Amino acid sequence: MELGLVGLGKMGGNMRERIRRAGHTVVGFDRNPDLTDVHSLRELVDALQAPRVVWVMVPAGGPTQSTIDELGELLSPGDVVVDGGNSRWTDDERHAEELAAKGIGFVDCGVSGGVWGLENGYALMYGGDPENVARVQPIFDALKPEGEFGSVHAGRVGAGHFAKMVHNGIEYAMMQAFAEGWELLEAADAVTDVREVFRSWQEGTVIRSWLLDLAVRALDDDEHLAALRGYAADSGEGRWTVEAAIDHAVPLPAITASLFARFASRQDDSPQMKMIAALRNQFGGHAVTAAAGGEKGADSPGADVTPPVGG
């Protein structure tokens, strides 16, 4: 199968490689000339045989809107656009309507997997009409993890990003719980090796998980997270989750509290937020901010920069 892929950053670039490893042809476009296969969206569209599928992996909001607008002028009836970024589900409904008026299909896809997705596969949650989803299915199959699970047709347009939004809200709360437990252990004089306590939980406990494994990895890198400032960004999905909960009158006390804890991290150097920042960096390559006097400058790996798409 042929695929056009727009956006070849940390996730998009690895997705291109995983899809190619599965035997598909990928024509990628990125504004970075060191990453791109073609030099414009028009060149990308011209390189694909109709009917085309073009997957968009750019930041949500303006960049996604402008990319879809341009593709709407370049593509033909029968083509399909996939938005695999972290767009809000309400944007999906508008994009689907705009493209449908031109005979172009639309699928929204929440993607989770971060910098580990190339080897482990990406969890995929997608929404759209069955015929449009079927067109993209070979690519979904190439990207998903091995085995029975890891992808789902969640429902109509918007369902994929809504499901990914809820996933990220749960992620906020889980990371917050690990962070609070870590800070309490660090504060207790009786506990002399917090890192090994965390490591001991990796087997035989009900909280063993990939996030726990990543917490241990982060503590192996920096036992007391001294090099990190206690600051953690939020990339939008946590806020949207809380807003959706209000709209649906669904109580979300844990997720809401974890979002507010991130806001608190911007007021003081929070020890809990050091763990949150470390975990986000471990699983998604998200930026971290160095502690005062630390070595991570604006140009170094892990410096405070724009977060990657997805994850």
Side-chain angles (χ1 to χ4, degrees):
M1 177 176 171
E2 289 186 341
L3 178 74
L5 182 59
V6 182
L8 303 172
K10 289 179 180 177
M11 285 192 69
N14 282 343
M15 289 168 63
R16 173 176 62 175
E17 177 60 23
R18 186 172 174 90
I19 295 166
R20 285 176 173 172
R21 289 181 185 180
H24 302 291
T25 298
V26 182
V27 180
F29 170 67
D30 194 277
R31 298 189 185 280
N32 183 339
D34 296 330
L35 301 176
T36 195
D37 299 320
V38 294
H39 302 293
S40 67
L41 284 180
R42 178 175 293 278
E43 189 176 340
L44 179 144
V45 169
D46 289 345
L48 300 172
Q49 292 186 347
R52 308 169 187 86
V53 175
V54 178
W55 188 305
V56 178
M57 283 296 291
V58 301
T64 294
Q65 183 67 58
S66 62
T67 301
I68 291 177
D69 286 346
E70 187 172 353
L71 287 172
E73 297 300 319
L74 296 171
L75 294 173
S76 304
D79 293 343
V80 174
V81 172
V82 182
D83 178 7
N86 279 334
S87 295
R88 188 166 179 152
W89 82 96
T90 50
D91 292 343
D92 296 325
E93 297 168 353
R94 184 178 70 255
H95 294 153
E97 289 179 3
E98 292 169 350
L99 292 172
K102 302 179 179 183
I104 301 168
F106 179 82
V107 174
D108 65 288
C109 183
V111 181
S112 182
V115 297
W116 300 85
L118 174 58
E119 300 301 329
N120 296 343
Y122 298 88
L124 307 171
M125 297 141 271
Y126 35 93
D129 295 340
E131 58 270 25
N132 292 328
V133 169
R135 288 277 308 285
V136 192
Q137 194 63 54
I139 302 302
F140 293 147
D141 293 342
L143 287 171
K144 70 178 288 293
E146 297 294 329
E148 182 181 357
F149 306 110
S151 70
V152 61
H153 183 185
R156 58 186 176 85
V157 164
H161 281 141
F162 194 96
K164 177 58 163 48
M165 175 194 73
V166 174
H167 165 281
N168 282 22
I170 293 169
E171 175 188 294
Y172 273 46
M174 291 176 66
M175 287 195 291
Q176 184 66 27
F178 279 120
E180 291 177 7
W182 173 77
E183 183 179 3
L184 182 56
L185 287 166
E186 286 277 327
D189 292 338
V191 181
T192 57
D193 199 335
V194 174
R195 177 176 59 186
E196 293 308 310
V197 170
F198 262 60
R199 196 187 313 278
S200 75
W201 293 343
Q202 290 181 278
E203 296 292 343
T205 72
V206 297
I207 63 169
R208 63 188 184 275
S209 63
W210 188 44
L211 273 180
L212 177 60
D213 294 342
L214 293 177
V216 172
R217 180 187 173 98
L219 295 173
D220 281 339
D221 291 342
D222 179 2
E223 183 174 359
H224 301 288
L225 304 181
L228 299 181
R229 178 185 164 209
Y231 176 102
D234 69 286
S235 54
E237 297 93 333
R239 298 183 190 215
W240 300 341
T241 305
V242 173
E243 290 169 0
I246 294 170
D247 291 341
H248 290 80
V250 174
L252 299 185
I255 292 174
T256 302
S258 66
L259 174 65
F260 288 165
R262 293 202 185 186
F263 296 161
S265 79
R266 297 159 204 183
Q267 299 169 358
D268 299 296
D269 189 16
S270 164
Q272 294 174 19
M273 287 304 132
K274 292 186 177 186
M275 175 58 80
I276 298 292
L279 284 170
R280 295 179 82 243
N281 180 258
Q282 287 289 330
F283 71 70
H286 294 276
V288 295
T289 302
E295 298 179 354
K296 288 191 189 319
D299 297 323
S300 19
D304 192 15
V305 295
T306 303
V309 178

